[in-house]
Amino acid sequence: MKKILNEVDQAVEQMVEGLVKTHRDLIYRVAGTRVIARNDKRPGKVGLVSGGGSGHEPAHAGYVGKGMLSAAVCGDVFTSPTPDQILEGIKAADQGNGVLLIVKNYTGDVMNFEMAAELAEAEDIRVASVLVNDDIAVEDSSFTTGRRGVAGTVFVHKIVGAAAEAGASLEELQALGEKVVASVKSIGAALSAGTVPEVGHRGFELLEDEIEVGVGIHGEPGSSREKVMTSHELANLLFARINAELILGADNNIVVLINGMGATPLMEQYIFANDVHKIIAAHGIPIVKTIVGDFMTSLDMNGLSLTILKLTDEKWLDMLDYPVVTSAWK
Amino acid sequence: MKKILNEVDQAVEQMVEGLVKTHRDLIYRVAGTRVIARNDKRPGKVGLVSGGGSGHEPAHAGYVGKGMLSAAVCGDVFTSPTPDQILEGIKAADQGNGVLLIVKNYTGDVMNFEMAAELAEAEDIRVASVLVNDDIAVEDSSFTTGRRGVAGTVFVHKIVGAAAEAGASLEELQALGEKVVASVKSIGAALSAGTVPEVGHRGFELLEDEIEVGVGIHGEPGSSREKVMTSHELANLLFARINAELILGADNNIVVLINGMGATPLMEQYIFANDVHKIIAAHGIPIVKTIVGDFMTSLDMNGLSLTILKLTDEKWLDMLDYPVVTSAWK
């Protein structure tokens, strides 16, 4: 394993320090915790908290800031943060009108965020949560009952973040988040797995002519192992899987997110974007916005995911374009 | 070679198409060329053109937009664009008051941008240029006489871009660009080389315990091949090299750019940022801004570079923070 690291067991600690030193104009670290919170508070605004295992950078700390998250809780690599850490995140986000938790659907996260919510309620902080399960690749997986939460989570952060900034209530934000979750589907593919620093070798091995279709963001098994295919064939395959769920047509405005998994050159992401556009255009489905880049990674995994958001509410587009001040969302 | 590609010889063509489809609100492709130009024009504003070989994404097309470049010319992978392509870029950028070319110091680029400038002058477009040679690793290299231009180039794009937006003249922008070049130094290190699609294998091979210090963004040899070291040791080494040039002290405000080479996880970039901050703080040198991410890549190279800009003019900080509308600069 060759990595830019010091002590492997200090990777997350030192990353959090690096994040805070780099973006001190936007965020701070809650002392004694691995919670990243935004500098500017506004009494009365509903707080938004997300997080989970580290290794998915820029998720989630990169989305902390005006217009998106109030706080992100950074667990160990691919490991849910503990309830007490999440509780600290909730406290940092609380501005008197409740806190919404945006949780990716993994058993550990679900359990720990739930426990943290109970602890917060005991301290008189109102808490609600939204569970994101946009990954259509498989039902149930290594760490999940039901479907996994992956890159679609950032659409929830962004849209709910805009509504929170505009003054929506906790109940409104929860309902909005659930509506977005119902409209967003993702599926990924890996050319190679990521390497957890403390493990020291890739999470799984693929032959030189194999790709893992439907891979999870922790390297969980996908739905099939396929022979290497062209970008266009891969785009066809992933889009067909998503379209089987969303059943898109000419009257559905959609937003497309092409997400690099950490080690995927931007050149290849744009080539894939070109293919996705060609395929969707051939279906006559209008793409109103496309986003390309690394948003929800898996350490140094080489691969990408395709996410499609069906705009069941046209206002969501404005909310996606609502200006934010974060390190990772432009 | 496993990549997300179709025909290898169409990689740049399809990337350019993907770029334009993704960011059609910001940019367009000049028909029949590989020139990416910004949608909004403003008569009288000096145009800014950059470009070079592809494979460095998001450079340079990602910096086209309000507040930065007027146009970027995309050559083949690691190959300078031809003079006629650059001329098309100049024409797209020209709004009546001249065009500044920002050129990275590689023999092919220098020659072709110069030739394009002559062609443009023959069509009565005033042209000036700034040569960027921020890479302190080596004197002369595979494709360069003198020092190479690398990640520091984006500081030139950003600062000169802000001044151009504010109405500076061609002569003023050229002088400003040269002043920035004199104040910015970079050096990189690779854990693994990038793979040019048409070549099909990595540009060079490193043993499992080796890194290439001072590597170029086309995989050119660096200044030494070293045993793997910690992030902190690497930060020490790279900073010492830069400081031997800039001779920084407590009265020098600096801006730090940590640039991922394409396949470097953000987690590792932030760990490195933490080390850089610790080392520079120990020297008592004030860091006024830090930027972390993939800005000038080398396809799927795993590695990073450190760039330091000495703020010889305090106004440069405002110019770096001047709001832009581009796909890659936040």
Side-chain angles (χ1 to χ4, degrees), chain A residues 130-136 147 152-153 155-156 159-160 174-186 242 245-248 307-313 316:
Chain A
V130 172
L131 201 63
V132 188
N133 59 355
D134 56 313
D135 188 348
I136 61 165
R147 287 175 164 185
T153 309
F155 283 138
V156 183
I159 293 173
V160 172
Q174 184 185 32
L176 173 63
E178 284 171 352
K179 214 170 149 192
V180 174
V181 170
S183 304
V184 64
K185 306 290 173 200
S186 303
I242 290 177
E245 300 263 337
L246 288 179
I247 323 282
L248 300 165
T307 298
I308 294 182
L309 172 70
K310 179 152 80 168
L311 287 181
T312 52
D313 185 333
W316 293 356

Side-chain angles (χ1 to χ4, degrees), chain B residues 162-174:
Chain B
E165 213 63 51
S169 71
L170 180 60
E171 292 69 25
E172 288 165 340
L173 294 175
Q174 184 186 30

Side-chain angles (χ1 to χ4, degrees), chain A:
Chain A
M1 174 186 67
K2 246 193 288 189
K3 281 184 175 287
I4 296 162
L5 277 181
N6 298 299
E7 307 78 9
V8 285
D9 62 343
Q10 294 298 306
V12 173
E13 173 62 27
Q14 294 175 357
M15 174 191 72
V16 167
E17 277 301 294
L19 263 165
V20 170
K21 285 173 182 160
T22 301
H23 305 294
R24 61 192 173 198
D25 51 327
L26 300 177
I27 55 174
Y28 68 97
R29 177 183 193 163
V30 177
T33 75
R34 288 212 194 124
V35 173
I36 301 281
R38 62 192 258 195
N39 290 341
D40 65 308
K41 312 267 176 183
R42 210 183 68 213
K45 181 187 161 296
V46 173
L48 299 184
V49 174
S50 193
S54 292
H56 306 301
E57 294 68 35
H60 300 83
Y63 306 121
V64 174
K66 191 168 160 58
M68 288 186 84
L69 301 181
S70 313
V73 193
C74 308
D76 283 337
V77 174
F78 293 176
T79 305
S80 174
T82 56
D84 60 306
Q85 289 277 322
I86 301 168
L87 176 63
E88 294 298 327
I90 294 171
K91 286 183 184 171
D94 177 39
Q95 291 147 94
N97 265 327
V99 174
L100 184 71
L101 310 181
I102 301 170
V103 185
K104 302 197 304 301
N105 187 34
Y106 298 98
T107 308
D109 287 316
V110 171
M111 201 173 65
N112 291 345
F113 274 85
E114 220 162 74
M115 222 178 291
E118 284 167 24
L119 295 170
E121 299 273 3
E123 299 195 23
D124 287 328
I125 303 174
R126 279 198 311 140
V127 178
S129 55
V130 172
L131 201 63
V132 188
N133 59 355
D134 56 313
D135 188 348
I136 61 165
V138 294
E139 295 292 330
D140 303 339
S141 187
S142 319
F143 314 110
T144 314
T145 305
R147 287 175 164 185
R148 304 174 295 220
V150 292
T153 309
V154 299
F155 283 138
V156 183
H157 294 345
K158 185 65 185 72
I159 293 173
V160 172
E165 213 63 51
S169 71
L170 180 61
E171 292 68 27
E172 288 165 340
L173 294 174
Q174 184 185 32
L176 173 63
E178 284 171 352
K179 214 170 149 192
V180 174
V181 170
S183 304
V184 64
K185 306 290 173 200
S186 303
I187 182 167
L191 281 63
S192 73
T195 305
V196 174
E198 291 201 272
V199 175
H201 58 79
R202 293 193 178 279
F204 58 88
E205 288 298 331
L206 290 169
L207 296 179
E208 188 50 37
D209 66 345
E210 283 180 342
I211 62 172
E212 180 82 19
V213 173
V215 69
I217 55 171
H218 311 93
E220 305 97 313
S223 43
S224 63
R225 198 160 282 193
E226 307 278 349
K227 289 287 166 197
V228 163
M229 55 187 84
T230 65
S231 168
H232 194 268
E233 287 165 343
L234 183 62
N236 243 328
L237 179 63
L238 300 190
F239 174 71
R241 288 287 301 274
I242 290 177
N243 200 26
E245 300 263 337
L246 288 179
I247 323 282
L248 300 165
D251 53 342
N252 294 124
N253 286 337
I254 64 170
V255 179
V256 170
L257 166 63
I258 286 149
N259 170 59
M261 290 292 205
T264 317
L266 209 45
M267 172 181 278
E268 297 175 38
Q269 297 183 37
Y270 279 114
I271 289 172
F272 186 77
N274 182 45
D275 289 310
V276 167
H277 266 262
K278 282 202 274 191
I279 290 160
I280 294 178
H283 280 76
I285 304 158
I287 300 178
V288 295
K289 186 181 179 72
T290 309
I291 300 168
V292 174
D294 290 7
F295 288 85
M296 178 73 72
T297 64
S298 182
L299 296 167
D300 56 340
M301 180 183 282
N302 185 0
L304 49 71
S305 60
L306 174 65
T307 298
I308 294 182
L309 172 70
K310 179 152 80 168
L311 287 181
T312 52
D313 185 333
E314 288 298 324
K315 283 198 300 288
W316 293 356
L317 186 58
D318 295 331
M319 293 156 102
L320 285 171
D321 288 334
Y322 186 91
V324 295
V325 189
T326 70
S327 64
W329 186 281
K330 291 180 257 273

Side-chain angles (χ1 to χ4, degrees), chain A residues 258 266-275 277 290-292, chain B residues 11-29 34-37 39 54-64 72-75 326-328:
Chain A
I258 286 149
L266 209 45
M267 172 181 278
E268 297 175 38
Q269 297 183 37
Y270 279 114
I271 289 172
F272 186 77
N274 182 45
D275 289 310
H277 266 262
T290 309
I291 300 168
V292 174
Chain B
V12 173
E13 173 62 27
Q14 294 176 357
M15 174 191 72
V16 167
E17 277 300 294
L19 264 164
V20 170
K21 285 172 181 161
T22 299
H23 305 295
R24 59 191 175 200
D25 51 327
L26 300 178
I27 54 173
Y28 68 96
R29 178 184 192 160
R34 287 210 194 127
V35 173
I36 301 281
N39 290 340
S54 291
H56 307 301
E57 293 67 36
H60 299 83
Y63 306 122
V64 174
V73 193
C74 308
T326 70
S327 64

